[in-house]
Each structure stands twice: as C-alpha cells, then as structure tokens.
Amino acid sequence: MQYVMIDSHCHLDLIKAPLSTQKVIDDAAQLGVDKILVPGISPSNWQQVELLSRQNESVYYALGCHPMYLSADISSSLRRLELALDNRNERCVAVGECGLDFYKGREDADLQLEYLVKQLKLANQHLLPVILHCRKAHQDLVKVLKANKPIKGGVLHGFTGSYQQAMEYVKLGLKIGVGGSITYPRASKTRQAISQLPLDSLVLETDAPDMPLNGKQGSQNEPKFIKLVLNELILLRNEGEQTVALKVHYNASSVFDFC
Ligand SMILES: [Zn+2]
C-alpha cells in the first residue's frame, strides 16, 4: 500500500550533483512523501532552507545552530538566530538542529552547551518545538533538557542507543526520530529500542543526503528512501502495517505545526 509519509529531518540544501534538489523532492512526492522538514545548521544556510520552503509546497524549515558547525562568536550567531526567528514565516516550524556532539571529544563542550541552552530558551520564547542532534552525549543532553524543558516538545533526531536512553527523551515529551540506522542488522540495540518504544513517540526521518540505508552505502541518501525506513519499522513492530504508517505520520504532524 502507498502511505503518506513525512521526512522529519532532511538536509535538502546539501544534496549534490548528479542529483538535483528538485528531482529528489519530486521522486519523494511520487512515493508518498507529503512533507519534508529541512533543518538549519548555521546562519550560512538559513536563507537557503527558507527559500526551499517557499519554492516547494511540501518543504518546511527550521532555524538553528548545529553543534558541529558552531562559530566561536556565540553572541553574534545567537543574535542572528533570534532575529531570524523574529522574522520567520509560517513555514518555519522548529528551532534546530541543535544539540551536543562529543563524537570527536569534549574539547568545545562548554561552547556546545552554551549554544544549546540558549537555543532551547529561544524555542520556548517563540513557542516552537526543537530538533535535537546527539552523538556520544545522551547523559549530558538529558541533563540539559531536564533543566530547560522544551515546552512545545520536539524530536531527538537520528536516534541510536538503548531503550532506556530513548525513554529518557520520551518522558520529557519528545519524539524519537527513526532513520536508516534501523536497516542495519548490526544496530541491534537501536533496533530493539525502536521495537519497544511507545508507537506514539516515533517519527520517521532520512537525514539525507547523510546516513545511507543498508545496501546503499557510498551514494547520497534521499527522502524517497523513507519508504524503506517505514517498511523496516513495520517489520520491527507488532501493530500492523497501516497502524504504524498512519501513526508515525500523525506523530510528526502533532509536533510540527505544518500549515
Ligand atoms: Zn541533520
């Protein structure tokens, strides 16, 4: 069956030749992807993501500073973010992506934490949900979130980890972004977590052009492959195909105010 699907995390602005952004959007639409949410990563891409949302009916955007692309001039970046949020249009549906990334170590942990806390505050001030990125930092991130609760919720995107770790976010009212990692048999801990979490808490994403699915390593990921993520999710769950497909679509629409 064909279901409507939402790609809740897709970096359309980073798609490179030989693919074109337009082709990628059209191919995804043909397979039933009715909405694509493109996160901001730094002031340098905010105009581009906003433009993509204006040019394509199915595209929405978020504004934020990704922990891997932080400028040391924190006050200037955050002032720009505040200004961009003040001037956003109705297709801006979240703050993000923001978060913590200690994959390469904790050298700039203080900078990352300062950016994160401020973005959580901005999200609450603007009554927007947050899109959260986390690598090697679940404990730290949960601690920050408990002290700065996102009142409009949000998504912990690209989740990998244990059931217990995921439930920490669910208890804070956040959704869990399910992506291509569940297509890898070796990701058994993540697969098990996703099979056990409340269905209410799951949303789909591709993180394209990153995070290729199993069997597609070496090529750019695309939002149309969200259908394969959904198929895998259906296999991991006991609720039946239609229930899973409809519910994850509903979940994403309930976090983000798609106009
Ligand atoms: Zn991302």
Side-chain angles (χ1 to χ4, degrees):
M1 255 192 84
Q2 178 156 328
Y3 297 103
V4 282
M5 293 164 286
I6 295 174
D7 189 347
S8 66
H9 196 111
C10 175
H11 296 280
L12 280 176
D13 56 312
L14 303 179
I15 298 281
K16 290 192 271 303
L19 294 175
S20 78
T21 309
Q22 197 55 54
K23 171 110 173 47
V24 162
I25 294 170
D26 293 345
D27 288 353
Q30 275 214 324
L31 280 174
V33 178
D34 69 342
K35 293 176 186 79
I36 299 176
L37 175 48
V38 187
I41 53 179
S42 77
S44 61
N45 92 326
W46 296 343
Q47 253 186 339
Q48 179 63 12
V49 297
E50 196 259 335
L51 182 65
L52 282 167
S53 79
R54 245 188 294 148
Q55 290 169 335
N56 299 280
E57 219 187 319
S58 59
V59 176
Y60 295 79
Y61 71 102
L63 294 168
C65 300
H66 188 296
M68 285 175 73
Y69 307 100
L70 300 177
S71 122
D73 190 353
I74 184 164
S75 57
S76 151
S77 298
L78 292 170
R79 229 180 304 117
R80 287 175 74 180
L81 180 57
E82 188 156 16
L83 195 64
L85 286 168
D86 286 340
N87 293 310
R88 72 190 187 277
N89 62 39
E90 75 285 355
R91 304 188 72 85
C92 174
V93 294
V95 169
E97 63 181 289
C98 53
L100 297 175
D101 194 315
F102 297 151
Y103 188 73
K104 289 187 173 156
R106 309 177 68 107
E107 237 169 70
D108 65 344
D110 289 346
L111 184 72
Q112 290 195 31
L113 283 161
E114 201 178 333
Y115 264 101
L116 171 61
V117 169
K118 184 65 197 211
Q119 290 183 87
L120 292 169
K121 287 190 164 60
L122 283 174
N124 284 350
Q125 275 168 30
H126 290 86
L127 298 176
L128 288 168
V130 285
I131 300 170
L132 296 162
H133 167 106
C134 181
R135 279 202 304 177
K136 301 252 182 237
H138 283 313
Q139 270 193 352
D140 305 78
L141 181 55
V142 167
K143 203 170 135 194
V144 173
L145 290 169
K146 280 182 177 161
N148 303 272
K149 201 166 176 244
I151 54 178
K152 286 288 176 179
V155 174
L156 189 282
H157 113 83
F159 177 78
T160 58
S162 69
Y163 172 80
Q164 285 75 11
Q165 285 167 329
M167 278 308 292
E168 296 273 2
Y169 298 104
V170 174
K171 281 186 234 154
L172 284 160
L174 298 163
K175 308 285 184 206
I176 301 295
V178 180
S181 63
I182 64 164
T183 63
Y184 290 83
R186 65 175 150 78
S188 53
K189 190 166 66 172
T190 303
R191 285 166 57 86
Q192 199 183 348
I194 299 300
S195 74
Q196 293 173 340
L197 287 167
L199 185 58
D200 278 355
S201 67
L202 305 180
V203 300
L204 298 177
E205 63 166 78
T206 61
D207 204 13
D210 292 332
M211 297 297 290
L213 276 68
N214 188 19
K216 298 188 184 302
Q217 297 93 327
S219 52
Q220 292 183 77
N221 194 6
E222 294 186 50
K224 70 176 178 187
F225 295 134
I226 198 132
K227 181 74 176 83
L228 304 175
V229 178
L230 174 61
N231 289 348
E232 195 63 35
L233 179 63
I234 288 165
L235 292 174
L236 286 175
R237 306 285 310 192
N238 289 319
E239 290 95 340
E241 185 177 327
Q242 200 176 1
T243 305
V244 174
L246 296 179
K247 195 71 185 123
V248 291
H249 190 274
Y250 172 81
N251 294 343
S253 319
S254 74
V255 186
F256 302 112
D257 188 10
F258 296 120
C259 45

